[in-house]
Amino acid sequence: MIRKNTTGQKIAVLAWDKVAKAEKTGDAANITAYISKDGAAMAQTNDVNPTELDATNAPGVYIFDMTQAEMNCDSIVLFAKSSTTDIILAPYMAHTSRDEITVKPAIIQ
């Protein structure tokens, strides 16, 4: 769940090499992202380049750290792109929530 106006959140994207037909690893320095809050004009994220999650166990997954100000909206679109030829990334779209989350442990019987 994406929380409205909350710091410490992350958004993951998948980098795909359309020629190799495989996830793209080692491309973090070439990936940047832009966000639109509530349908407004795109602006570059504060996290200039993402962090690669795990090239072995989660190839092609990159994580952007979002600021509280970036998450102060009702909906967000994050569009990432790579300067590496033939690498594509799908846009991330979500609605934020103000709901409080209560986690209760499962009871095992």
Side-chain angles (χ1 to χ4, degrees):
M1 173 183 288
I2 297 292
R3 301 291 311 271
K4 182 174 183 166
N5 201 24
T6 303
T7 191
Q9 298 186 93
K10 299 175 184 302
I11 293 179
V13 296
L14 176 69
W16 183 260
D17 186 326
K18 61 185 180 180
V19 173
K21 294 182 174 44
E23 300 88 352
K24 177 65 176 168
T25 59
D27 203 41
N30 300 318
I31 298 173
T32 56
Y34 292 80
I35 59 169
S36 170
K37 298 182 342 179
D38 298 325
M42 301 296 278
Q44 188 167 12
T45 59
N46 285 311
D47 192 359
V48 177
N49 300 107
T51 301
E52 188 167 11
L53 181 60
D54 184 328
T56 302
N57 298 308
V61 176
Y62 296 87
I63 306 291
F64 284 95
D65 296 310
M66 306 304 291
T67 66
Q68 181 175 353
E70 289 173 326
M71 301 310 299
N72 190 12
C73 56
D74 293 319
S75 65
I76 185 169
V77 174
L78 181 139
F79 184 86
K81 57 186 177 178
S82 174
S83 60
T84 304
T85 303
D86 296 320
I87 304 304
I88 56 174
L89 297 104
Y92 175 91
M93 297 170 269
H95 292 282
T96 60
S97 174
R98 294 182 195 176
D99 297 336
E100 292 297 320
I101 301 171
T102 303
V103 177
K104 295 182 180 179
I107 298 173
I108 300 174
Q109 297 180 2

